[in-house]
Amino acid sequence: MITLDDSVTRLLLLVVVALPLVGAATALLPAPPGLKGRSPEQAVLRHGVVVTGVVLAAALLLAASFDRDDPARMRATTDLEWIPALGVRLHLGVDGISLPLVVLTALLGFLCALHAYRRPPAGPNPAALVALLLVLLGGALATFAALDLILFFLAFEMVLIPMYFLIARWGGGGSGPAARRFVVYTLVGSVLMLLGFLLLGGRAGTFDMTELAAAQGEGLERGVQILVVLAVGLGFAVKTPMWPLHGWLPPAHTAAPTIGSVLLAGVLLKTGTYGLVRILLPAAPEGTAALAPWLGAFAVTGIVYASLVCLDLVRRGADLKLLVAWSSVGHMGFVLLGIAGLTPTGINGALFANIAHGLITGLLFFLVGAIRERTGTTRLDELTARGAGARLYGRAPRLGALFAFTAMASLGLPGLAGFWGEFLAMLAAYDPAPGLPRPAYLVFLALAGLGTLLTAAYLLMAVRRVCAGDPPPGAPAATEPAGVIAAAPAALPRTPAGPAAPEPTTADLAAAEAPGAAPVADPDRLPELRGVELSVYAPLAALTLLLGLWPALLLGLTDPAVQALLPGVAR
């Protein structure tokens, strides 16, 4: 551990939160102050890499100086008057719950900037892309550092517009409807959340999240707490997303460019579950306990439903990116199930699953983009029928091995990061907090277990079809000469949210973010992972393995903070 003065750690957190916004403003200048490139477009993309790199370095230094002996105490705090008439303060800080999310967000932001520098998404001026990426990053980091309800709300909403434009302007065909659906769902949830915040802050007499946590709902009637949990919880449930409020997620993921999908899965979804733990559990414990069984029921329904949809997508040879998008609905269901147990075990499992999902699903979306670049398609039926992605083990062994490794982590293989969050969430369902209906939670446990089996089934089937080239019976016949993959810049149609909706047709995502891949002249070779690609993918794979083998690295931070947060959750 590095020992730093409080003033230095405070400055580091301010750099982490504010520098992306400053970098976004300077990216729009005629000559942004970044590293010079061969063209203005390359210069501004390098500027994005430099800014996000500095933010990541500051976040890592902040983490290295964090006192692991007392992770429940807020560190690097800034507390200034901001809107005195409303009692709103510029209050920032991190503890063992928020610090891992700050580091994850900074890491994914840097890797996305690096990926965009290597292969910019096709679209308008790169300066606008970099500016939007930095604004989104700054809003997400401020969300995890905010300790005032109104400041949290403003930061929570700051990410909405950048993500809308990333999908609408740099996405594939059908991105406009997908972006509008994302905005409509989020705005409706945000209105409810703001009303809940005003009710909570007005009745408690403060918007300060640390004071609300210390009060543990004291002075708030049970009925008021239930109203707060309903209003605020629905806003968070939309962003998570919780079944049946998930309808915006598959179209948004499918239409977004690769960096948009990575940030959506790895960062934005985490703001909803983080808000549930940070705000609702301590501030409205009785209301949370009253509605926790319903949360668990919706969580396991989402787990099973999403897994069945994924099985159907694999059976029909649908798009691989859509499959990963739907898998996120199921994985976030385990996060919600852990929260619904209202025990330290479950909350720790939810926080661990949050980080693991960000690492694993972020890497999966990067790899799906790499497959599309090499083959011109990510539809499972086309990959299998034409040999474009089939036999990936033999044609691009490193890419195939990394894809299989990431899929194994996603299905929860022991020894990898995806295992611990799901295991702890299911353990919490077996032994929920006192006062919760244990028979109902045992049913939740059984359904979650079924979900893990279904998840393993569809991911193993996907790996077989993409990597081993073992097509299922009845796979469509090849329509192109062997070894020749035509780049098809077809528009990506709007992807409905339901499992029975029509799937996109040939080469859905070939033009989602960049011109189609060049034809492959040699049927036995595909470009291997190398250079910048490896530098983007390797940190996520290494952390997935490290957290799987050494879960105490993360649980040692979260558990003391969770223990301090939970008294009074279930009375």
Side-chain angles (χ1 to χ4, degrees):
M1 185 185 73
I2 301 174
T3 303
L4 297 176
D5 293 336
D6 289 343
S7 58
V8 176
T9 59
R10 187 181 304 117
L11 178 61
L12 286 174
L13 184 58
L14 290 175
V15 168
V16 167
V17 172
L19 184 59
L21 304 181
V22 176
T26 54
L28 299 175
L29 297 176
L35 299 177
K36 292 184 178 180
R38 292 187 299 269
S39 65
E41 291 77 14
Q42 190 183 60
V44 77
L45 291 170
R46 286 187 178 184
H47 172 70
V49 174
V50 170
V51 172
T52 55
V54 173
V55 170
L56 176 59
L60 292 175
L61 188 55
L62 182 64
S65 65
F66 194 78
D67 185 3
R68 293 184 63 91
D69 293 331
D70 189 16
R73 184 165 69 87
M74 283 291 171
R75 304 302 173 100
T77 55
T78 297
D79 191 3
L80 304 172
E81 280 193 348
W82 189 30
I83 310 176
L86 299 178
V88 178
R89 304 184 67 82
L90 193 65
H91 194 183
L92 302 170
V94 291
D95 65 355
I97 293 174
S98 55
L99 180 64
L101 289 166
V102 168
V103 175
L104 173 67
T105 302
L107 174 62
L108 290 177
F110 172 69
L111 296 180
C112 284
L114 196 60
H115 183 276
Y117 173 72
R118 184 190 73 87
R119 190 175 178 87
N125 187 353
L129 173 69
V130 171
L132 290 170
L133 174 64
L134 291 174
V135 171
L136 190 154
L137 184 63
L141 289 166
T143 299
F144 297 131
L147 295 177
D148 182 275
L149 288 180
I150 304 303
L151 179 62
F152 175 93
F153 176 79
L154 295 176
F156 189 89
E157 293 303 297
M158 186 187 297
V159 303
L160 176 62
I161 299 304
M163 182 54 69
Y164 169 81
F165 282 108
L166 281 177
I167 298 172
R169 300 298 299 278
W170 283 271
S175 56
R180 287 192 292 273
R181 182 184 294 193
F182 164 72
V183 169
V184 169
Y185 269 83
T186 304
L187 283 179
V188 171
S190 298
V191 169
L192 294 172
M193 184 172 65
L194 179 59
L195 293 175
F197 281 169
L198 294 176
L199 175 61
L200 175 60
R203 296 300 291 266
T206 181
F207 291 107
D208 189 279
M209 291 158 60
T210 58
E211 294 181 14
L212 290 169
Q216 290 289 306
E218 185 177 350
L220 295 177
E221 299 85 354
R222 186 173 185 273
V224 172
Q225 291 192 29
I226 291 176
L227 286 177
V228 168
V229 172
L230 280 173
V232 177
L234 283 173
F236 289 145
V238 169
K239 190 64 73 72
T240 299
M242 179 184 75
W243 180 92
L245 304 175
H246 64 282
W248 63 270
L249 181 66
H253 267 314
T254 309
T258 293
I259 60 172
S261 295
V262 170
L263 292 174
L264 187 58
V267 176
L268 266 65
L269 302 189
K270 310 301 175 282
T271 59
T273 50
Y274 170 76
L276 288 173
V277 173
R278 171 65 71 194
I279 298 172
L280 287 186
L281 289 183
E286 291 186 43
T288 304
L291 297 176
W294 292 99
L295 178 62
F298 285 124
V300 295
T301 302
I303 291 170
V304 175
Y305 179 74
S307 299
L308 291 174
V309 171
C310 288
L311 274 174
D312 185 60
L313 292 174
V314 175
R315 181 188 62 82
R316 292 190 285 125
D319 191 86
L320 192 56
K321 194 172 187 183
L322 184 62
L323 176 70
V324 178
W326 269 103
S327 73
S328 290
V329 177
H331 289 310
M332 296 309 291
F334 280 99
V335 177
L336 294 173
L337 178 62
I339 295 173
L342 298 184
T343 62
T345 299
I347 305 303
N348 278 298
L351 295 172
F352 198 104
N354 250 350
I355 300 298
H357 178 264
L359 296 171
I360 296 167
T361 307
L363 181 53
L364 275 175
F365 277 119
F366 275 134
L367 294 174
V368 170
I371 292 172
R372 180 174 60 238
E373 289 176 13
R374 287 158 169 78
T375 66
T377 184
T378 49
R379 281 192 63 89
L380 289 169
D381 54 1
E382 295 176 0
L383 290 174
T384 302
R386 300 186 306 189
R391 300 186 293 111
L392 201 60
Y393 286 145
R395 303 174 68 195
R398 280 182 288 184
L399 176 58
L402 186 56
F403 180 80
F405 167 85
T406 312
M408 296 303 102
S410 184
L411 65 82
L413 187 70
L416 300 176
F419 170 76
W420 294 107
E422 296 182 3
F423 172 74
L424 292 174
M426 295 172 68
L427 193 60
Y430 176 76
D431 187 20
L436 297 179
R438 190 164 187 263
Y441 277 78
L442 291 178
V443 174
F444 299 161
L445 173 62
L447 291 175
L450 174 62
T452 61
L453 296 177
L454 296 175
T455 299
Y458 72 73
L459 284 172
L460 289 173
M461 290 167 62
V463 169
R464 182 196 65 186
R465 299 189 66 175
V466 173
C467 297
D470 182 17
T479 57
E480 277 115 15
V484 179
I485 304 162
L492 171 66
R494 175 180 176 181
T495 304
E503 290 302 318
T505 55
T506 304
D508 304 335
L509 300 174
E513 61 173 319
V520 178
D522 186 346
D524 294 322
R525 297 182 67 87
L526 287 174
E528 262 290 13
L529 297 177
R530 59 190 179 277
V532 176
E533 278 187 310
L534 282 175
S535 66
V536 171
Y537 308 156
L540 299 179
L543 287 171
T544 297
L545 181 60
L546 178 62
L547 290 180
L549 296 175
W550 191 18
L553 185 66
L554 181 57
L555 294 175
L557 286 175
T558 62
D559 186 57
V562 167
Q563 296 282 356
L565 205 65
L566 276 181
V569 167
R571 293 175 178 173

